[in-house]
Amino acid sequence: MTFHFRYKLVKYPDGSLGKVPAVPVTLIGPSGAFLKVIALVDSGADYSVISKEVSDLLDFDLTEGKVATTYGIGGTMKTLQKQIMMKFGRDHELYSWGVPVKILLDSADYEIPPLIGRAGFFEQFEITFDERRDRIAFKKVPGSSTAMHR
Amino acid sequence: MADDYAVFMQTDLSPYIGEWVAICDGKIVAHDISLKKTHEIAANKCPNKAPLFTKVPSSDSMIF
């Protein structure tokens, strides 16, 4: 099965318009606390990323784990890698599975919305960025390690 | 979440640049710079429900 999400129309400060691949996803922390968020699908990101304030609501323990330096377009960021559960899909086709996530530890990075990167996510689907139709398509890869919910 | 996602798609969120926005029962129920505060307000207005949260970035390259 293939499901789609249309690109979100965005308005830039100069008045011009753009479109971004923003999708709804439920993030689930180690305690079971969850948050339904809009995340950007970023094929250029090695890992999914959330800010510390998102991780706080999901009850992540940030005292454990190794702090690393992560490199992005905006420069370097201090991050902590954890495992997060994602529930994602559309209508009656919903999947959940574990994905590695980088937590941004600096408050200056709070501006960054949740990002869905490649590790643990892109191998679950054949993903097509369809600029002509302004939509992103997800086709489940058979046999990949997700649980389906109806 | 479907209705809340539809509202997200249809709404111009540029008035909320730099803020988190919570959408529940098909309408915006909270917005604030702090996600924690946005979450608290939304939880009070939408008890026992799961609002949809979106960050409206203020950077030039990604504004919803």
Side-chain angles (χ1 to χ4, degrees):
Chain A
M1 293 276 295
T2 301
F3 54 91
H4 307 84
F5 291 98
R6 296 197 64 78
Y7 284 5
K8 166 68 175 171
L9 191 65
V10 299
K11 187 182 291 183
Y12 297 108
D14 65 1
S16 64
L17 299 176
K19 295 160 187 169
V20 294
V23 300
V25 61
T26 299
L27 306 176
I28 306 167
S31 70
F34 67 94
L35 203 59
K36 293 181 178 178
V37 299
I38 295 294
L40 298 181
V41 182
D42 186 353
S43 63
D46 293 340
Y47 288 91
S48 296
V49 173
I50 59 174
S51 64
K52 181 178 177 297
E53 62 176 345
V54 172
S55 76
D56 287 343
L57 282 180
L58 296 176
D59 295 335
F60 276 102
D61 179 3
L62 302 185
T63 64
E64 289 187 358
K66 183 180 178 183
V67 176
T69 300
T70 298
Y71 300 90
I73 292 176
T76 60
M77 297 163 282
K78 295 294 182 189
T79 62
L80 195 60
Q81 184 170 322
K82 297 282 186 177
Q83 191 80 357
I84 195 169
M85 290 293 293
M86 287 188 178
K87 187 183 288 186
F88 175 72
R90 183 118 210 204
D91 300 326
H92 298 296
E93 189 176 353
L94 284 173
Y95 302 94
S96 65
W97 72 103
V99 174
V101 65
K102 299 274 190 180
I103 298 171
L104 301 172
L105 298 178
D106 296 331
S107 59
D109 297 325
Y110 283 10
E111 278 297 324
I112 298 174
L115 298 180
I116 295 176
R118 295 193 309 277
F121 190 95
F122 275 53
E123 59 263 52
Q124 302 291 338
F125 302 95
E126 291 179 13
I127 301 174
T128 303
F129 294 84
D130 189 341
E131 301 295 315
R132 193 165 51 88
R133 294 191 176 97
D134 293 332
R135 69 183 191 180
I136 183 170
F138 297 86
K139 182 179 180 183
K140 188 73 179 67
V141 175
S144 51
S145 58
T146 57
M148 186 169 183
H149 302 267
R150 288 190 180 275
Chain B
M1 190 196 286
D3 288 345
D4 296 338
Y5 172 68
V7 169
F8 162 76
M9 289 297 290
Q10 294 161 8
T11 304
D12 174 12
L13 295 174
S14 59
Y16 307 103
I17 285 175
E19 295 187 309
W20 282 92
V21 173
I23 303 169
C24 184
D25 287 340
K27 59 182 184 291
I28 293 174
V29 296
H31 61 93
D32 192 86
I33 293 173
S34 161
L35 173 59
K36 184 179 179 184
K37 186 172 179 182
T38 306
H39 188 266
E40 288 172 354
I41 296 170
N44 284 331
K45 290 187 176 179
C46 275
N48 303 316
K49 294 191 176 178
L52 177 64
F53 294 87
T54 184
K55 173 73 176 180
V56 187
S58 58
S59 65
D60 289 355
S61 60
M62 51 167 79
I63 294 174
F64 282 67

